[in-house]
Amino acid sequence: MYRPKVLVIGSGGVGTISALSLSHNFKSEVTLVVRSDYDLIMEKGYSIVSCTYGELIGWKPSHLAPSVNDAMEKFGPFDYILVTTKNVPDGPVTCEEIIAPAISTGKEVIILLQNGIDIEKPMLEKFPGHLILSGVSHIGSTYYHGHVENKGMEIVFLGDFQKPSSNPESRLKIEEFISIYHNPGFNKVQVDEDVQKTRWEKLMYNSVFNTISALVDLDVNSIQINNANDELIRPAMQEIMNIARSVGVECDPTFVEKFIHIGDGLFYSPSMCVDMRKKQLMEVEVILGNPIRIAKEQNVYTPILSVVYSLLKMVQFRLKQDRKMFTINQDDFRGNSDHYPYIFENKYKNIK
Amino acid sequence: MYRPKVLVIGSGGVGTISALSLSHNFKSEVTLVVRSDYDLIMEKGYSIVSCTYGELIGWKPSHLAPSVNDAMEKFGPFDYILVTTKNVPDGPVTCEEIIAPAISTGKEVIILLQNGIDIEKPMLEKFPGHLILSGVSHIGSTYYHGHVENKGMEIVFLGDFQKPSSNPESRLKIEEFISIYHNPGFNKVQVDEDVQKTRWEKLMYNSVFNTISALVDLDVNSIQINNANDELIRPAMQEIMNIARSVGVECDPTFVEKFIHIGDGLFYSPSMCVDMRKKQLMEVEVILGNPIRIAKEQNVYTPILSVVYSLLKMVQFRLKQDRKMFTINQDDFRGNSDHYPYIFENKYKNIK
């Protein structure tokens, strides 16, 4: 039987369960790139507690590799490259750079199982002619040091970023990938007929709650206890809907109230806030920077999100500084320095 | 010789130097309330390194007291009550409550040497008929555990909140206080002929740099390195000027560029940011809340500062929670709880 070869990049809560879903039915040959904890996973495998797959101890997919280069050399070339990493284009390495070593035949289908808008554009620019698919995942799954806790059933929407597709093979590949990924009763996978709408609607949550939560270091319920719904949350979600409309996407407005109450009582802190607390870079550009750039191009007024973006970029700057991605030489700024009381000199000069 | 009795409340960097300035010329009898570190200061006094008063070891004013009550019993009543504490009306205790035990004769002059706008209003309401004066201090001075480091010469603007003054004694009291406070060559003290203008102009800095610095946890130069001047700083300062104008105060527009470059090369973190880092409550209401409330009353549009205020209130909420001023019973919020995937049920129900 023909078994497509799938490279899964990113071995966090999402990527590990993706590798498990693909491995479960033996319809594909799975290589998982484990960039951190490789030695640990090689030796002991994963311990997984999943609401659908049950308890697994010492689980491994067919192949493990410490890097995409290594995966390519030993187990490539691949039919599918499933990217589940965080997408931080302003970070030390872009997703395009990460997957580059796995591109050889020109036939690889690249699936971006990631958040954000416009994430396919740099990918298409770097790998023109490749079929690039959109994956949107809804799953409660966390990874820590070899252990995966998967509390919510995995649900994936898979589709072509282009509508109508510019690639004649698109439909076939989507159906093939769903056939190797879907495990009835264990996960749900559905063709996404309108990828952009799916992504903009998810941004109604992520661009608003994720970002504000990271800025104020509070879970989503504490944000709401502060009466932020009327001041910030609802109008900011409306701004996302307005940006989406400017590029021809009509979001379902009932998502506003659904998203506001989605976490009632859970006191849940979204990924961007968790990243900030761990001093890891946040997905600020794909979740908020790209929407803001579209808003500017389309002359959509975004008074709240523009301020949130300006502030969040500064938090990202601080995280980069903490991670030693750069250091500021304070002496560079001393040339035009004036000490504190200087500016009051006009007031001071007549003082007795 | 008649020596007015002055009660100084608040023994941080500002209050300690105030007590020193008053003590230096022996023209008043100074009682300093030291609420924290009282035992330390009683035993060892202050060690002070001042750019004008020099190095002092074991310095104490005439009287020390651990509380306003104690000060009143032993050394009161007072002619002047100089309030140098932080002003946090949403904190555990208001400034009105702090000074209440020192009010007895009805003749006490209350001087608020504090930041912010509208701070005299709750004071006037609580102590009607009292003369309440405005002090605006420019001083580089920090207190830590008995030690005071005073790097910038103390400059104080003293005036009546009311213009023209509703109190006939106002001018006399201002001049008397300046005469007991001023030490030529050591500090500068000037009559403030337009208190509201002085305060609004200081807010052009504090409402913008202080607040943003606290939100993003960066010093003022790092904020500017992020190109925030055009996106946030200048338009936010303009919003403060617009609010001031709506209540008849014309700020000097040249302060915009002066304030932007006031800290060039110093990488200085303003008080609100320092408070946030120390997990102490911030002066968010007197520095930003009161201006925003005036803007709402006067229908002044403040798109940036309104967002900054909504966010900063949430940071204050977090600080209050950290300080156990309240605790959230999460069970109170579970009644209408829906777990994470609930809201996607419309999408899910047709999934295979």
Side-chain angles (χ1 to χ4, degrees):
Chain A
M1 191 186 88
Y2 163 68
R3 296 170 71 208
K5 289 165 79 171
V6 183
L7 179 67
V8 180
I9 304 179
S11 53
V14 173
T16 313
I17 299 296
S18 286
L20 177 59
S21 288
L22 286 161
S23 303
H24 187 77
N25 52 32
F26 301 103
K27 293 179 182 167
S28 62
E29 181 185 323
V30 181
T31 301
L32 177 63
V33 177
V34 184
R35 289 180 297 175
S36 53
D37 294 342
Y38 175 75
D39 292 339
L40 172 75
I41 304 303
M42 269 306 274
E43 191 190 338
K44 297 192 170 175
Y46 288 96
S47 73
I48 299 178
V49 178
S50 164
C51 59
T52 56
Y53 292 103
E55 287 190 37
L56 295 93
I57 296 191
W59 180 82
K60 293 180 195 176
S62 302
H63 310 300
L64 288 170
S67 71
V68 177
N69 257 316
D70 202 77
M72 187 63 183
E73 273 175 34
K74 288 193 189 151
F75 312 112
F78 302 98
D79 300 293
Y80 293 95
I81 299 172
L82 182 67
V83 188
T84 74
T85 60
K86 270 201 306 184
N87 194 326
V88 186
D90 55 322
V93 59
T94 65
C95 290
E96 297 75 61
E97 291 164 343
I98 289 171
I99 74 163
I103 301 294
S104 66
T105 66
K107 298 281 184 193
E108 295 88 356
V109 177
I110 301 165
I111 306 175
L112 304 180
L113 193 67
Q114 297 176 308
N115 282 319
I117 208 79
D118 274 358
I119 58 174
E120 73 281 17
K121 290 191 174 167
M123 206 46 91
L124 266 169
E125 198 168 304
K126 184 80 180 281
F127 308 112
H130 273 264
L131 174 60
I132 298 172
L133 299 180
S134 162
V136 169
S137 170
H138 299 295
I139 185 173
S141 183
T142 52
Y143 170 85
Y144 180 71
H145 202 62
H147 182 73
V148 178
E149 184 132 349
N150 165 215
K151 289 189 174 175
M153 181 191 267
E154 181 193 36
I155 298 158
V156 172
F157 298 90
L158 191 73
D160 195 333
F161 280 102
Q162 314 281 330
K163 185 181 87 169
S165 177
S166 55
N167 191 314
E169 272 199 288
S170 168
R171 190 84 200 181
L172 286 172
K173 292 294 186 186
I174 291 169
E175 280 172 8
E176 180 179 72
F177 193 80
I178 289 179
S179 77
I180 63 173
Y181 198 99
H182 183 219
N183 301 302
F186 294 85
N187 65 3
K188 295 183 180 180
V189 195
Q190 173 160 312
V191 178
D192 188 348
E193 302 289 0
D194 193 343
V195 161
Q196 298 302 336
K197 184 169 150 75
T198 303
R199 290 188 167 270
W200 279 106
E201 284 174 348
K202 198 169 182 194
L203 281 190
M204 286 170 66
Y205 184 93
N206 282 336
S207 304
V208 177
F209 273 117
N210 249 0
T211 55
I212 289 174
S213 173
L215 266 178
V216 302
D217 191 4
L218 284 178
D219 62 83
V220 294
N221 287 149
S222 293
I223 289 171
Q224 291 169 300
I225 291 169
N226 276 274
N227 294 317
N229 283 343
D230 287 337
E231 291 170 9
L232 290 177
I233 304 298
R234 287 192 184 90
M237 286 183 178
Q238 187 60 52
E239 290 178 12
I240 288 291
M241 293 170 72
N242 294 346
I243 307 171
R245 179 174 295 152
S246 78
V247 291
V249 175
E250 204 63 34
C251 296
D252 178 352
T254 65
F255 274 112
V256 172
E257 295 309 311
K258 283 178 188 165
F259 281 138
I260 281 175
H261 294 293
I262 196 175
D264 282 358
L266 295 180
F267 292 83
Y268 167 79
S269 297
S271 66
M272 216 178 255
C273 179
V274 173
D275 284 334
M276 182 276 296
R277 288 174 183 160
K278 288 184 180 169
K279 294 186 186 295
Q280 290 180 345
L281 297 189
M282 305 174 294
E283 294 185 291
V284 54
E285 294 305 332
V286 299
I287 284 179
L288 189 54
N290 288 346
I292 290 289
R293 279 180 280 277
I294 295 170
K296 279 189 181 163
E297 285 165 18
Q298 305 289 332
N299 286 315
V300 178
Y301 185 53
T302 55
I304 293 174
L305 291 179
S306 292
V307 173
V308 169
Y309 178 51
S310 290
L311 294 170
L312 208 56
K313 273 191 296 184
M314 294 196 240
V315 176
Q316 184 87 321
F317 172 94
R318 171 164 57 78
L319 296 171
K320 288 175 184 173
Q321 199 170 20
D322 287 345
R323 299 182 75 80
K324 314 266 186 244
M325 281 175 62
F326 62 84
T327 52
I328 291 175
N329 180 0
Q330 298 196 356
D331 290 335
D332 293 345
F333 296 86
R334 295 206 201 283
N336 56 349
S337 158
D338 304 300
H339 67 94
Y340 187 72
Y342 155 76
I343 66 110
F344 292 100
E345 66 178 11
N346 288 329
K347 278 205 161 185
Y348 299 164
K349 63 186 174 196
N350 296 320
I351 296 183
K352 51 187 166 177
Chain B
M1 191 186 88
Y2 163 69
R3 296 170 70 210
K5 288 164 82 170
V6 184
L7 178 67
V8 180
I9 304 178
S11 54
V14 173
T16 314
I17 299 297
S18 285
L20 178 60
S21 288
L22 285 161
S23 303
H24 187 76
N25 53 32
F26 300 101
K27 292 179 183 166
S28 62
E29 180 186 322
V30 181
T31 302
L32 178 62
V33 176
V34 184
R35 288 180 298 175
S36 53
D37 294 341
Y38 176 75
D39 292 339
L40 172 75
I41 303 304
M42 269 306 275
E43 191 191 339
K44 296 191 169 175
Y46 288 96
S47 72
I48 299 177
V49 179
S50 164
C51 59
T52 56
Y53 292 103
E55 288 189 38
L56 294 94
I57 296 189
W59 180 81
K60 292 180 195 177
S62 302
H63 310 299
L64 289 170
S67 71
V68 176
N69 257 317
D70 202 77
M72 187 63 183
E73 272 174 34
K74 288 192 188 151
F75 312 114
F78 301 99
D79 301 293
Y80 293 95
I81 299 171
L82 183 67
V83 187
T84 74
T85 59
K86 271 201 305 184
N87 194 327
V88 187
D90 55 322
V93 58
T94 66
C95 290
E96 296 75 61
E97 290 165 342
I98 289 171
I99 74 164
I103 300 294
S104 65
T105 66
K107 298 281 184 192
E108 295 89 355
V109 177
I110 301 164
I111 306 176
L112 304 180
L113 193 68
Q114 297 176 308
N115 282 319
I117 208 78
D118 273 358
I119 58 174
E120 73 280 17
K121 290 191 174 166
M123 208 43 97
L124 267 170
E125 197 168 304
K126 183 81 180 280
F127 308 113
H130 273 263
L131 175 59
I132 298 173
L133 299 179
S134 162
V136 170
S137 170
H138 299 296
I139 184 173
S141 183
T142 52
Y143 170 86
Y144 180 71
H145 201 62
H147 182 74
V148 178
E149 185 131 347
N150 165 216
K151 289 188 173 175
M153 181 191 267
E154 180 193 35
I155 299 159
V156 173
F157 298 90
L158 191 72
D160 195 332
F161 280 101
Q162 313 283 329
K163 187 180 85 166
S165 176
S166 54
N167 191 314
E169 272 200 288
S170 167
R171 190 83 199 184
L172 287 172
K173 291 295 184 185
I174 290 169
E175 281 172 7
E176 179 179 71
F177 192 79
I178 289 179
S179 77
I180 63 173
Y181 198 100
H182 184 219
N183 301 303
F186 294 85
N187 66 2
K188 295 182 180 181
V189 195
Q190 175 163 309
V191 178
D192 189 346
E193 303 288 1
D194 194 343
V195 161
Q196 298 301 336
K197 183 169 152 73
T198 303
R199 288 187 167 271
W200 278 106
E201 283 174 349
K202 199 169 181 194
L203 281 191
M204 287 170 65
Y205 184 93
N206 282 335
S207 304
V208 176
F209 273 117
N210 249 0
T211 55
I212 289 174
S213 173
L215 266 178
V216 302
D217 191 4
L218 283 177
D219 63 83
V220 294
N221 288 150
S222 293
I223 288 172
Q224 291 168 301
I225 292 168
N226 275 273
N227 294 319
N229 282 344
D230 286 338
E231 292 171 8
L232 290 177
I233 304 298
R234 287 192 184 90
M237 286 183 178
Q238 187 61 52
E239 290 179 11
I240 288 291
M241 293 169 72
N242 294 347
I243 307 171
R245 180 173 294 152
S246 78
V247 290
V249 175
E250 204 63 36
C251 296
D252 178 352
T254 66
F255 273 112
V256 172
E257 293 311 310
K258 283 179 187 164
F259 280 138
I260 280 175
H261 294 293
I262 195 174
D264 281 358
L266 295 180
F267 292 83
Y268 167 80
S269 297
S271 66
M272 217 178 255
C273 179
V274 172
D275 283 334
M276 182 275 297
R277 288 174 183 161
K278 289 184 181 170
K279 295 188 186 296
Q280 291 179 344
L281 297 189
M282 305 175 294
E283 294 185 292
V284 54
E285 293 305 330
V286 299
I287 284 179
L288 189 54
N290 288 346
I292 290 288
R293 277 180 280 277
I294 294 170
K296 280 191 181 164
E297 284 165 17
Q298 304 289 332
N299 285 315
V300 178
Y301 185 53
T302 55
I304 293 173
L305 291 180
S306 292
V307 173
V308 169
Y309 178 51
S310 290
L311 294 170
L312 208 55
K313 272 190 297 185
M314 293 195 241
V315 176
Q316 184 89 323
F317 172 94
R318 170 165 57 78
L319 295 171
K320 288 175 184 173
Q321 199 169 20
D322 287 345
R323 299 181 75 80
K324 314 266 186 246
M325 281 175 62
F326 63 85
T327 52
I328 291 175
N329 180 1
Q330 298 195 356
D331 289 335
D332 293 346
F333 296 87
R334 293 208 202 282
N336 55 348
S337 158
D338 304 300
H339 68 94
Y340 188 72
Y342 155 76
I343 67 109
F344 292 100
E345 70 180 6
N346 288 328
K347 280 205 163 187
Y348 299 164
K349 62 187 173 194
N350 296 321
I351 297 182
K352 50 186 165 175

